[in-house]
Amino acid sequence: MKNEKLTQDEYDALAEVARGIKGERVSACVGRNTKRLAGLKLFSVAKNGRLSLTDKGQQALFLRRCIVSMRALAADPGVQLDADVANFLGKKAHISASADGAGFTLTDKGRESLADIERQGL
């Protein structure tokens, strides 16, 4: 993703659109970020003005959840992960089941990826 570094506010807007906009008006958060996120093809705007999340937007939110989960796991190995995130990170060998079987631990590959993510400032 070239120059597509998103702010926390933009991620919040993505999450809000993913949950679904209720009513006629969008929130201030979504309103502030619509132009940029639609330009990056993370939102699609229908002719009637309704916003929806694109596949690229869903992928951005999922990757954000994975990064947040890896950071949480690095800080506290006992943290519970969502099933889809744990499955994805397990397939990519970033996490492995802990020795006691109660949770997950970050692998060397996961720590390297997390360090690279921190270096990039994501």
Side-chain angles (χ1 to χ4, degrees):
M1 292 205 270
K2 186 176 175 184
N3 195 21
E4 294 181 15
K5 202 174 193 181
L6 300 178
T7 64
Q8 183 61 46
D9 194 45
E10 291 167 333
Y11 279 115
D12 292 342
L14 280 174
E16 191 172 326
V17 170
R19 285 191 303 270
I21 305 286
K22 298 190 178 29
E24 298 278 324
R25 299 173 52 111
V26 297
S27 70
C29 177
V30 173
R32 274 191 306 270
N33 297 298
T34 298
K35 184 176 181 180
R36 175 162 155 60
L37 295 174
L40 292 173
K41 307 279 192 256
L42 299 173
F43 280 175
S44 65
V45 183
K47 290 184 182 190
N48 65 359
R50 299 299 275 173
L51 297 173
S52 60
L53 206 58
T54 63
D55 289 339
K56 187 176 178 183
Q58 291 173 345
Q59 183 183 31
L61 279 178
F62 181 73
L63 290 176
R64 177 70 173 184
R65 286 178 47 220
C66 289
I67 292 169
V68 168
S69 295
M70 286 174 58
R71 286 180 179 150
L73 199 57
D76 178 20
V79 72
Q80 293 294 321
L81 302 179
D82 294 335
D84 57 343
V85 171
N87 188 26
F88 177 77
L89 292 174
K91 284 183 181 178
K92 297 296 180 183
H94 290 346
I95 62 172
S96 62
S98 62
D100 60 4
F104 299 97
T105 57
L106 212 53
T107 63
D108 291 336
K109 182 178 179 182
R111 280 189 278 284
E112 288 174 14
S113 294
L114 197 55
D116 187 44
I117 290 167
E118 296 295 330
R119 258 192 311 278
Q120 292 178 14
L122 298 176

